[in-house]
């Protein structure tokens, strides 16, 4: 808005302004007038007569000019404010409309709490009706007939049901699996589940599916992006308004963890869905996260072609990183639904542990969580993962940052692990001859697969050992950067492991180095003589290498000392690294046993007792040094050994003799690692 600098001036004022018309500073004075008016407007937008007269004298303008300027300025400001408000309201309206659409679509997608999925066709409806009619007739006859006739009637009905099931497996629910779960975490006999309880489970699963689909489809403000690390977490206030529910735990230490992440994996969606619905494949797919998994009962088998409507009752134990991170036990329902062509949603939701279970006091509760799997081109899938749990456990100080930032058990870890394992599966299925050699002989495809399966079992055994049930703690004198030593003793009778008493020992410590630096140190075979007691001070070299991923650090190696040992012992080793951490696992294997695997024979009976290292970032926020450059935090290193000890006369004698030995071993190894990494000043 321009002002007429001399439009209404009179007397000396007009002459003063007119005398400046030819002056180069004339327009500068006009700018000064506007600046002065702007400043006054901020203070008072409606000046009275006295204020206008004062401004007139100060600026050399007529009161009428000042009056009109303020009127125009108020109109302009009001228009700008209205425009800004309209923009904000328009965005809010679009967001609310989108959320309403997403919620309506999610509600429509859940059609039936029992079977889920899209509506059945007429043929499927007729088959379902026939099944119900046959079952009803059978029950009526069973109630009427003498016991001698019931068996023959049951065989007729059973054969008819079998035929119906072969025609459409989505209609018939699979019979219960009478599993005897004898693991310490779930030591109870599964009783037959009453029909009323099964109906309740189906309702719970359907409700959880509805909630999870909504969580996938609704964005901000329900999901909040962290400014610190870019990870997504749920806005608790908005979540509680949309999905109100009571907290599972009432203690002050209880907390809720939520996270969301997505990524593309190299496996088609239908295959991935089948793997998720098979507890054995599920456990093998996530060996560094899932230590135990069991399908307790198949409540609904789902449709034959797409598994939509499959409902499972499962048990799972999760554990990662270190004995300092407590395992998490879940007794839960897993429900699969195909929400559209090529897109599946699998939801997990906790269910109460059965009465009489030793795990009925679980400190972990899974709220509706799971993944959306969408088929894309080239045999790949886009997987979006949501983790949402309530836990009642205090995190150890070394791993508190990782857990509180939803890194330890968060959605990102599931996605990263799934990507890496899909790469490993690709390498496992490659049929062409590899370039790796063993004893001068090129390993065949069958031999490569057998070695990879043996190494997979080695990694699984190592990760399962880290939970160290019934462990004994031996604290260090200083606990600033070290967690102390954990020791556990178990009697091994399992196939694929040495039989006898096995001592497991582990410790975790903080190092002021990036995790990739620590991983590279262990990967370099020239450094092995600095820390590996099994090298006996002799250098070792790699004689075979099988890639398990794109990164050169993701591989399986066979290591041999430069000076051959009398018993021809070799070292089977697997390492991997991903954005969240690294693993380095190894185990001594004698030459004849390894020859069995290399020749392509079954390696499941080869005894193997692994040790190794787990490396991760410390989860701390980046800091800025004196130079102004940002520096990442340090890393957390877990060192874990397993040793087979001779059977003593008493367990007390074993504890006194063996624990002292392994404690000295791990303390010595940790000290050697610190010296090699120039971190010996850490206590």
């Amino acid at each position: 808005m321009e002002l007429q600098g001399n439009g209404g001036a009179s007397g000396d004022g007009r002459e003063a302004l007119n005398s400046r018309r030819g002056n180069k500073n004339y327009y500068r004075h006009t700018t000064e007038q506007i600046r002065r008016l702007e400043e006054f407007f901020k203070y008072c937008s409606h000046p009275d007569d006295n204020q206008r007269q004062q401004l007139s004298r100060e600026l050399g303008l007529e009161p009428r000019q000042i009056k009109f300027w303020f009127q125009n300025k108020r109109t302009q400001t009001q228009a700008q404010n209205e425009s800004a408000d309209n923009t904000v309201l328009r965005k809010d309206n679009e967001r609310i409309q989108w959320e309403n659409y997403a919620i309506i679509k999610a509600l429509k997608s859940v059609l039936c709490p029992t079977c889920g999925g899209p509506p059945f066709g007429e043929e499927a409806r007729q088959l379902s009706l026939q099944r119900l009619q046959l079952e009803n007739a059978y029950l009526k006859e069973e109630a009427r007939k003498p016991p001698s006739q019931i068996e023959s009637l049951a065989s007729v009905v059973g054969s008819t049901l079998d035929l119906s099931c072969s025609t459409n497996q989505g209609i018939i629910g699979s019979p219960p699996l009478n599993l005897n779960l004898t693991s310490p975490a779930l030591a109870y006999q599964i009783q037959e589940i009453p029909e009323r309880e099964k109906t309740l489970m189906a309702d719970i699963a359907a409700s959880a599916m509805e909630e999870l689909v909504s969580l996938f489809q609704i964005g901000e403000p329900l999901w909040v992006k962290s400014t610190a690390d870019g990870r997504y977490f749920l806005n608790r206030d908005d979540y509680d308004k949309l999905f109100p529910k009571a907290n599972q735990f009432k203690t002050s230490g209880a907390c809720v963890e939520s996270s969301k992440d997505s990524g593309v994996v190299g496996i088609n969606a239908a295959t991935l869905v089948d793997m998720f619905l098979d507890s054995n494949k599920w456990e093998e797919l996530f060996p560094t996260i899932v230590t135990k998994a069991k399908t307790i009962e198949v409540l609904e088998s789902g449709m034959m072609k797409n598994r939509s409507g499959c409902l499972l009752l499962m048990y799972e134990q999760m554990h990662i990183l270190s004995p300092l991170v407590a395992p998490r036990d879940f007794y839960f329902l897993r429900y699969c639904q195909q929400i559209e062509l090529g897109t599946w949603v699998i939801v997990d939701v906790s269910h109460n542990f059965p009465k009489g279970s030793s795990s009925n006091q679980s400190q972990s509760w899974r709220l509706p969580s799971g993944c959306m799997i969408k088929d894309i081109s080239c045999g790949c899938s886009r997987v979006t993962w949501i983790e949402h749990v309530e836990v009642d456990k205090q995190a150890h100080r070394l791993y508190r940052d990782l857990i509180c930032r939803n890194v330890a058990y968060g959605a990102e870890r599931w996605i990263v692990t799934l990507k890496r394992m899909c790469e490993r599966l690709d390498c496992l299925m490659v049929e062409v001859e590899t370039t790796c050699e063993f004893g001068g002989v090129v390993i065949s495809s069958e031999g490569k697969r057998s070695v990879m399966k043996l190494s997979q079992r080695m990694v699984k055994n190592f990760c399962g050992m880290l939970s160290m049930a019934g462990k004994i703690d031996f604290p260090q004198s200083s606990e600033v950067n070290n967690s102390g030593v954990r020791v556990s003793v178990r009697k091994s009778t399992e196939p694929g492991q040495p039989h006898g008493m096995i001592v497991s020992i582990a410790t975790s410590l903080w190092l002021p180095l990036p995790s990739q630096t620590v991983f590279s140190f262990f990967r370099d075979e020239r450094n092995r003589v600095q820390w590996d007691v099994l090298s006996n001070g002799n250098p070792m070299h790699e004689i075979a290498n099988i890639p398990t991923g794109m990164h050169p650090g993701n591989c399986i190696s066979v290591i041999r000392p430069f000076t051959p040992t009398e018993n021809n012992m070799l070292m089977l080793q697997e390492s991997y690294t991903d954005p969240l951490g690294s693993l380095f696992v190894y185990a001594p294997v004698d030459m004849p046993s390894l020859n069995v695997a290399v020749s392509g024979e079954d390696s499941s009976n080869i005894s193997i007792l692994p040790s190794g290292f787990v490396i991760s970032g410390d989860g701390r926020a980046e800091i800025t040094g004196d130079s102004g450059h940002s520096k990442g935090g340090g890393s957390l290193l877990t060192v874990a050994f397993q040793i087979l000890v001779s059977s003593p006369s008493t367990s007390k004698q074993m504890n006194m003799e063996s624990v002292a030995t392994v404690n000295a071993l791990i303390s010595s190894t940790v000290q050697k690692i610190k010296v090699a990494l120039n971190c010996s000043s850490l206590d």
Side-chain angles (χ1 to χ4, degrees):
M1 183 182 297
E2 297 183 358
L3 287 174
Q4 297 295 330
N6 61 341
S10 61
D12 295 339
R14 183 186 298 111
E15 291 177 1
L17 288 172
N18 286 337
S19 67
R20 291 195 293 267
R21 277 193 177 275
N23 193 304
K24 63 181 180 179
N25 294 326
Y26 170 71
Y27 290 102
R28 183 179 66 82
H29 289 293
T30 302
T31 303
E32 290 295 324
Q33 292 171 349
I34 295 176
R35 184 187 63 78
R36 178 71 179 90
L37 290 171
E38 294 278 3
E39 290 179 353
F40 193 89
F41 185 83
K42 294 178 182 178
Y43 167 73
C44 177
S45 60
H46 290 78
D48 55 22
D49 291 340
N50 293 333
Q51 290 171 325
R52 288 197 294 270
Q53 290 292 340
Q54 181 179 354
L55 287 172
S56 173
R57 290 191 297 270
E58 291 179 1
L59 301 178
L61 301 174
E62 289 187 354
R64 182 171 57 87
Q65 286 181 285
I66 294 174
K67 177 181 178 181
F68 290 153
W69 186 91
F70 274 92
Q71 288 178 351
N72 292 338
K73 183 65 175 178
R74 286 193 297 270
T75 302
Q76 182 186 34
T77 301
Q78 183 179 1
Q80 291 174 347
N81 292 338
E82 289 178 353
S83 177
D85 291 342
N86 288 337
T87 301
V88 172
L89 292 173
R90 191 179 299 110
K91 290 183 178 179
D92 287 344
N93 186 45
E94 291 174 356
R95 176 180 57 80
I96 293 172
Q97 287 179 345
W98 187 90
E99 290 180 359
N100 287 338
Y101 170 77
I103 293 173
I104 292 172
K105 186 177 179 181
L107 291 173
K108 288 182 178 179
S109 67
V110 181
L111 299 175
C112 177
T114 302
C115 64
F120 291 125
E122 186 60 31
E123 181 181 357
R125 293 177 189 275
Q126 291 300 324
L127 287 172
S128 178
L129 181 60
Q130 291 175 14
R131 177 179 68 86
L132 293 174
Q133 289 173 345
L134 286 169
E135 290 178 351
N136 190 34
Y138 167 68
L139 293 174
K140 287 181 178 179
E141 290 296 330
E142 186 181 31
R144 265 197 332 238
K145 300 266 182 190
S148 60
Q149 299 181 6
I150 292 177
E151 184 176 355
S152 60
L153 180 62
S155 63
V156 175
V157 176
S159 62
T160 310
L161 291 179
D162 289 341
L163 176 62
S164 175
C165 183
S166 64
T167 305
N168 192 324
Q169 292 185 7
I171 306 300
I172 310 297
S174 297
L177 302 178
N178 297 320
L179 298 177
N180 180 12
L181 304 180
T182 57
S183 63
L186 199 67
Y188 60 87
Q189 291 283 349
I190 299 297
Q191 304 296 327
E192 183 178 355
I193 301 175
E195 288 300 323
R196 179 181 296 180
E197 181 73 10
K198 291 181 180 179
T199 303
L200 176 62
M201 290 178 176
D203 292 342
I204 292 172
S207 177
M209 175 64 71
E210 179 182 346
E211 177 177 323
L212 186 64
V213 171
S214 298
L215 292 179
F216 281 126
Q217 294 175 336
I218 301 176
E220 296 181 358
L222 184 61
W223 286 100
V224 181
K225 188 174 183 179
S226 171
T227 56
D229 51 29
R231 294 183 174 91
Y232 284 92
F233 62 92
L234 282 171
N235 182 317
R236 298 310 309 171
D237 292 336
D238 288 348
Y239 175 83
D240 292 337
K241 291 176 183 177
L242 286 174
F243 310 104
K245 53 177 66 73
N247 292 334
Q248 184 70 19
F249 306 112
K250 306 298 182 182
T251 61
S252 59
C255 66
V256 176
E257 300 173 9
S258 60
S259 56
K260 181 174 73 169
D261 197 32
S262 64
V264 176
V265 298
I267 190 171
N268 70 76
T271 302
L272 196 57
V273 168
D274 284 334
M275 296 180 75
F276 280 21
L277 298 177
D278 185 320
S279 58
N280 293 326
K281 294 179 181 179
W282 168 259
E283 189 175 332
E284 292 296 323
L285 196 57
F286 298 97
T288 57
I289 303 177
V290 180
T291 55
K292 297 184 183 73
K294 294 289 184 182
T295 299
I296 298 171
E297 184 162 349
V298 179
L299 301 169
E300 292 289 341
S301 61
M303 292 185 174
M304 180 172 56
K305 293 183 178 180
N306 57 21
R307 304 300 304 273
S308 185
C310 178
L311 178 59
L312 309 175
L313 179 62
M314 300 180 68
Y315 165 76
E316 173 185 71
Q317 183 184 76
M318 294 165 44
H319 183 257
I320 55 173
L321 297 175
S322 165
L324 305 181
V325 182
R328 296 182 175 183
D329 295 304
F330 295 101
Y331 180 77
F332 65 100
L333 296 166
R334 173 163 292 179
Y335 180 42
C336 173
Q337 184 181 16
Q338 186 177 23
I339 60 174
E340 60 184 43
L341 185 63
T343 303
W344 288 261
V345 173
I346 297 178
V347 63
D348 293 344
V349 60
S350 279
H351 195 64
N352 289 320
F353 277 84
K355 294 181 179 179
S357 163
S358 61
S359 296
N360 56 4
Q361 299 299 323
S362 176
Q363 295 176 304
S364 307
W365 187 264
R366 188 182 297 280
L367 298 164
S369 305
C371 59
M372 178 183 290
I373 305 172
K374 184 177 181 61
D375 222 350
I376 57 179
S377 59
C378 303
C380 297
S381 306
R382 173 168 291 280
V383 180
T384 304
W385 203 291
I386 289 176
E387 276 296 296
H388 193 193
V389 298
E390 188 176 354
V391 293
D392 189 22
K393 297 176 182 177
Q394 292 291 338
H396 189 277
R397 53 183 179 74
L398 279 182
Y399 288 89
R400 189 172 299 139
D401 292 322
L402 278 178
I403 293 175
C404 292
R405 288 178 54 213
N406 298 323
V407 178
Y409 286 110
E412 184 181 8
R413 184 170 296 277
W414 291 94
I415 293 292
V416 166
T417 303
L418 183 58
K419 285 182 178 179
R420 177 173 51 78
M421 293 304 294
C422 287
E423 284 188 2
R424 196 181 195 280
L425 286 173
D426 286 341
C427 296
L428 179 66
M429 300 307 296
V430 171
E431 293 290 343
V432 297
E433 302 288 347
T434 65
T435 58
C436 61
E437 295 186 3
F438 179 72
V441 179
V442 177
I443 300 178
S444 65
S445 296
E446 293 77 10
K448 181 191 70 172
R449 293 193 186 101
S450 182
V451 172
M452 291 183 71
K453 289 179 181 178
L454 176 62
S455 184
Q456 169 85 347
R457 179 160 60 85
M458 176 181 70
V459 171
K460 182 68 178 172
N461 178 284
F462 175 79
C463 294
M465 174 267 293
L466 285 176
S467 60
M468 298 183 70
K471 62 181 179 293
I472 307 168
D473 291 349
F474 292 87
Q476 300 283 353
S477 58
S478 172
E479 292 211 357
V480 177
N481 297 312
N482 200 306
S483 65
V485 175
R486 266 70 176 171
V487 179
S488 76
V489 182
R490 73 181 189 276
K491 185 176 182 180
S492 173
T493 58
E494 300 176 9
Q497 292 187 32
H499 290 184
M501 301 304 297
I502 295 177
V503 177
S504 302
I505 184 166
T507 185
S508 297
L509 63 150
W510 179 82
L511 296 173
L513 299 171
S515 59
Q516 276 299 319
T517 301
V518 181
F519 176 70
S520 298
F521 167 77
F522 289 114
R523 274 284 302 146
D524 191 341
E525 61 189 45
R526 295 170 297 180
N527 296 329
R528 196 174 200 112
V529 69
Q530 300 183 56
W531 57 266
D532 189 0
V533 67
L534 297 178
S535 69
N536 294 317
N538 297 317
M540 308 181 79
H541 70 289
E542 184 179 77
I543 62 173
N545 182 286
I546 301 175
T548 59
M550 299 296 293
H551 192 283
N554 294 3
C555 63
I556 298 169
S557 305
V558 178
I559 310 294
R560 181 173 64 188
F562 275 109
T563 304
T565 58
E566 295 180 358
N567 56 2
N568 288 323
M569 291 298 292
L570 301 175
M571 198 75 68
L572 180 65
Q573 172 183 295
E574 179 162 354
S575 62
Y576 80 78
T577 184
D578 59 41
L580 295 183
S582 309
L583 190 75
F584 185 91
V585 183
Y586 61 93
V589 183
D590 60 79
M591 179 75 77
S593 296
L594 202 53
N595 277 328
V596 171
V598 170
S599 63
E601 298 180 35
D602 184 14
S603 62
S604 59
N605 292 323
I606 296 177
S607 294
I608 196 163
L609 194 62
S611 300
F613 308 94
V614 183
I615 310 160
S616 69
D618 59 8
R620 300 176 186 175
E622 291 190 351
I623 57 175
T624 303
D626 297 335
S627 61
H629 299 291
S630 62
K631 301 186 297 184
S635 58
L636 296 172
L637 172 66
T638 293
V639 184
F641 295 145
Q642 294 190 95
I643 300 172
L644 180 67
V645 298
S646 57
S647 299
S649 57
T650 64
S651 58
K652 183 176 181 181
Q653 178 185 350
M654 180 193 62
N655 289 339
M656 293 175 63
E657 296 176 356
S658 303
V659 168
T661 302
V662 294
N663 190 21
L665 171 64
I666 198 169
S667 299
S668 173
T669 302
V670 168
Q671 191 58 37
K672 290 177 180 178
I673 293 171
K674 289 181 179 180
V675 171
L677 292 172
N678 296 319
C679 300
S680 56
S681 60
L682 294 176
D683 293 327

